[in-house]
Amino acid sequence: MRIDVLTLFPEFFSGFLQASLLGKAIGKGLLTIELHQIRDWSTNKHHTVDDTPYGGGHGMVMKVEPLVAALEAVARPASRRILLSARGPRLTQARAKELATLPHLVLLCGRYEGVDERVADCIDEEVCIGDYVLSGGEAGALVLIDAVSRLVPGVLGNPGSLETESFSEDLLEYPQYTRPEVFRGKGVPEILLSGNHAAIDEWRREQSIERTRQIRPDLMKDPGEKR
Ligand SMILES: C[S@@+](CC[C@H](N)C(=O)[O-])C[C@H]1O[C@@H](n2cnc3c(N)ncnc32)[C@H](O)[C@@H]1O
């Protein structure tokens, strides 16, 4: 998969892209990530990319010309062009899975008060990473890149973990433990030491259902049906 990121702050991404899973995936050629400075497409003397809003109001708005020029320069017919935006539909694990099957994503990071609405003609979808306002789309792009790229075949060392982790089957993950067996007087649930894998699977599923019911009942289509 290839991801092109259009941003005013390419430096945001450098450490993140070198570390851990992503760094390895890029090293193995499973993932190509290109960062582009939006100012490079500004044609005015000072490379400005923002202006005051028509109709008045607070702050500045990102101008349509450099954004459209940047999108047209990096997008191809098969690209999915995504604007990070607090106004978009919220990113879900299901959407991340769909995006992970695509060959090319172009991520546009907004700044200031957002982007000129006419950019929408060059965008396929908007993505919001949560119900809060960030100061820029970069943190949103990092979240999207992380969530999507670990679902690209070959990126995760142990793809089996995708089957049981949170949000698969509309459930949160069960509680996990590792050594030591007792920490500050608190032990590990007996069942996990039993070696009875069928019983462990059943316990984990019950824990998942209970945890989801308590913390995120909205994830369960029918909170009564899972038992
Ligand atoms: C300060 S925000 C603009 C917020 C905008 N005035 C509004 O009320 O929706 C600047 C940029 O951050 C990004 N952004 C802010 N919150 C976001 C979120 N929850 N998810 C994704 N991107 C977000 C968008 O790219 C946005 O253009």
Side-chain angles (χ1 to χ4, degrees), residues 83-161:
L83 171 65
L84 279 304
S85 165
R87 298 185 312 189
R90 243 182 306 166
L91 181 64
T92 60
Q93 186 70 4
R95 187 68 193 128
K97 274 185 193 158
E98 289 164 1
L99 292 174
T101 65
L102 302 179
H104 185 207
L105 306 181
V106 177
L107 307 183
L108 174 57
C109 304
R111 277 270 153 184
Y112 316 120
E113 287 305 317
V115 307
D116 187 305
E117 192 63 28
R118 291 165 291 184
V119 170
D121 291 343
C122 292
I123 289 293
D124 299 303
E125 70 181 270
E126 298 188 21
V127 168
C128 171
I129 63 152
D131 293 351
Y132 36 77
V133 177
L134 304 165
S135 31
E138 288 75 14
L142 294 178
V143 168
L144 191 150
I145 291 170
D146 191 307
V148 168
S149 59
R150 64 195 293 281
L151 301 173
V152 170
V155 170
L156 218 55
N158 177 8
S161 60

Side-chain angles (χ1 to χ4, degrees), residues 198-217:
I200 291 172
D201 286 349
E202 196 184 325
W203 178 84
R204 284 178 166 165
R205 185 158 176 82
E206 281 167 6
Q207 292 288 316
S208 273
I209 292 169
E210 203 40 48
R211 186 169 279 212
T212 311
R213 194 169 277 148
Q214 280 178 19
I215 302 170
R216 292 291 307 276

